[in-house]
Amino acid sequence: MRIACDIDGVLLDTVITFCEIFNKKNGTSYQKSDVTKWEFFLDWNIPEDDIWDIFFQIYEDSMSTPFIDDQIPVIMKDLNQMHQVSIVSARTPEYREYILEKLQYHGILQGPHYNELVLLIHKPYDLKIKQDFDVFIDDNPKLAEAINKQKKKILLLYDQPWNQEIDDAENVIRVKNWTEIDQYFKKVEKNEDNNEL
Ligand SMILES: [Mg+2]
């Protein structure tokens, strides 16, 4: 299977860093758990441009952004042996070097862990889904809506406070952590083996 693995919200806990920078600038005390919508800035009464300024700042220096799960390198390496893993992000191409540096720092290397780093623009939301992958590992609730129209593709929706309103569907499966991602693929591989017998 061709697997597209997202960065923000799946490999990195970017919103934790976002809240820290935002709070410092604005004297607020927001936490990740307060980000309960994809377009949370509408509720917070903040212009979208201000939000992006902070994200761009993080994209240029992600070294302090928390890595979501220390097991990722081991699980991803296994996955990439059985399947084809690509890292697919809406961080735009000018941030490529910073992303590679951060991934390397956490032991995620092109070759053993993933084949390709694909960088796209962040809108329209269904742009990612239109890429040639079978399974998307992503936290974006907007992708759950977009993938509805592409039933052959599967979204493993990485559980985050901003995607709680999405219900599981035939091709939308919520995963709480990387152990559950690992278990999902082990189950699929087992079923494929059984089908071949
Ligand atoms: Mg994401």
Side-chain angles (χ1 to χ4, degrees):
M1 282 190 283
R2 288 173 53 85
I3 302 168
C5 176
D6 184 28
I7 296 178
D8 297 296
V10 172
L11 296 179
L12 303 181
D13 241 335
T14 314
V15 165
I16 291 179
T17 310
F18 174 89
C19 288
E20 286 168 4
I21 297 173
F22 184 89
N23 289 335
K24 214 179 253 179
K25 264 187 165 172
N26 297 284
T28 48
S29 53
Y30 285 118
Q31 295 178 2
K32 176 178 160 178
S33 57
D34 297 314
V35 182
T36 54
K37 276 186 194 152
W38 189 255
E39 286 167 330
F40 63 96
F41 48 88
L42 299 177
D43 290 346
W44 293 14
N45 276 324
I46 304 148
E48 186 169 357
D49 284 352
D50 291 8
I51 297 297
W52 283 109
D53 283 347
I54 296 178
F55 277 115
F56 295 150
Q57 190 183 328
I58 297 171
Y59 295 170
E60 275 188 18
D61 180 12
S62 294
M63 291 316 279
S64 61
T65 302
F67 194 53
I68 276 191
D69 188 333
D70 287 338
Q71 294 188 79
I72 294 171
V74 174
I75 295 173
M76 199 183 262
K77 197 173 173 187
D78 273 2
L79 266 184
N80 199 36
Q81 275 173 356
M82 290 293 288
H83 308 279
Q84 283 176 271
V85 178
S86 294
I87 295 180
V88 185
S89 171
R91 291 192 180 195
T92 42
E94 67 260 40
Y95 300 106
R96 178 173 289 270
E97 292 309 312
Y98 303 108
I99 297 167
L100 289 172
E101 188 189 3
K102 176 69 172 171
L103 292 174
Q104 269 169 26
Y105 178 77
H106 292 287
I108 298 183
L109 307 173
Q110 190 161 12
H113 299 88
Y114 68 97
N115 296 322
E116 209 184 344
L117 173 62
V118 180
L119 302 177
L120 305 164
I121 50 170
H122 71 281
K123 278 181 186 173
Y125 293 125
D126 63 352
L127 182 64
K128 216 186 228 189
I129 293 295
K130 284 182 177 156
Q131 309 299 306
D132 185 23
F133 294 100
D134 305 302
V135 182
F136 294 81
I137 308 170
D138 213 291
D139 62 309
N140 184 347
K142 303 284 180 190
L143 294 192
E145 294 157 21
I147 208 163
N148 249 330
K149 297 178 193 108
Q150 308 227 16
K151 294 280 186 211
K152 283 192 179 159
K153 299 186 175 189
I154 290 168
L155 171 64
L156 298 184
L157 184 67
Y158 201 95
D159 190 57
Q160 291 288 7
W162 47 90
N163 60 33
Q164 294 303 308
E165 81 278 18
I166 300 296
D167 293 325
D168 275 23
E170 206 176 315
N171 60 343
V172 179
I173 299 156
R174 184 176 294 274
V175 286
K176 298 259 185 211
N177 49 48
W178 272 83
T179 304
E180 288 195 10
I181 293 172
D182 188 36
Q183 287 165 349
Y184 170 82
F185 285 103
K186 291 232 163 81
K187 211 168 100 186
V188 169
E189 288 156 17
K190 210 175 154 196
N191 284 343
E192 281 176 355
D193 283 351
N194 286 342
N195 288 341
E196 280 168 20
L197 290 173

